[in-house]
Amino acid sequence: MKTVRVVAAVIRAVNKENKPIIFATQRGYGEFKGGWEFPGGKIESGETPQQALKWEIMEELDTEIAVGELIDTIEYDYPNFHLSMDCFWCEVIHGELILKEAEDAKWLTKEHLADVEWLPADVTLIEKIGEELHETKDSK
């Protein structure tokens, strides 16, 4: 089975109530159109995961991010390929998160992480992210 290596940005911020929130996007194209995911994309030959992530977020959201700590590497078997996804905590440095490819986007608090229909590979991250959001009171 073909392996596809990708990176995903778990972009976090703090809302007006000083609660930690994360950014989720809804796929606007392809086989998984309409599913919710963390933004990112494929790692090209010669790129580090961090370089790929910065490039993908600039391309998809017109935003510059700082790539932080690796949260996890998700290994997931879809019917036609194996996905290997490096997921990093990220923060916006510059830009407004303009949707260039996604159909929709939402900022979600820990309590609302389950309010969207996540793509299967992304679901495996939700519990871990929820725990981190709970512990991170003053992240920005």
Side-chain angles (χ1 to χ4, degrees):
M1 185 180 301
K2 177 182 172 184
T3 295
V4 178
R5 287 203 61 226
V6 299
V7 285
V10 180
I11 301 171
R12 60 183 168 184
V14 178
N15 67 11
K16 292 175 186 170
E17 290 82 39
N18 206 30
K19 284 186 157 193
I21 51 176
I22 60 153
F23 189 71
T25 57
Q26 187 178 34
R27 273 183 87 87
Y29 61 91
E31 182 180 352
F32 302 104
K33 183 179 180 350
W36 287 83
E37 64 184 351
F38 297 105
K42 289 183 182 171
I43 301 171
E44 301 297 334
S45 179
E47 283 183 321
T48 66
Q50 292 87 344
Q51 289 168 330
L53 197 49
K54 284 183 172 195
W55 171 256
E56 289 289 342
I57 298 304
M58 182 56 78
E59 191 175 72
E60 291 180 18
L61 298 169
D62 200 25
T63 302
E64 185 181 350
I65 58 166
V67 179
E69 184 181 339
L70 177 70
I71 301 167
D72 203 356
T73 298
I74 303 300
E75 302 290 340
Y76 189 86
D77 287 325
Y78 281 101
N80 300 323
F81 63 95
H82 175 79
L83 183 75
S84 179
M85 179 169 64
D86 292 338
C87 306
F88 292 89
W89 288 115
C90 297
E91 295 179 1
V92 172
I93 294 175
H94 184 271
E96 298 293 322
L97 294 168
I98 297 165
L99 302 181
K100 292 179 161 184
E101 296 180 11
E103 200 166 285
D104 197 4
K106 292 182 180 185
W107 285 100
L108 301 169
T109 62
K110 177 186 178 188
E111 297 77 24
H112 293 282
L113 286 176
D115 289 1
V116 299
E117 193 171 321
W118 294 99
L119 292 176
D122 294 79
V123 166
T124 59
L125 260 187
I126 298 303
E127 186 176 322
K128 194 165 204 168
I129 289 168
E131 290 169 9
E132 286 280 332
L133 286 179
H134 181 69
E135 293 169 12
T136 311
K137 300 273 191 244
D138 57 354
S139 76
K140 184 169 182 191

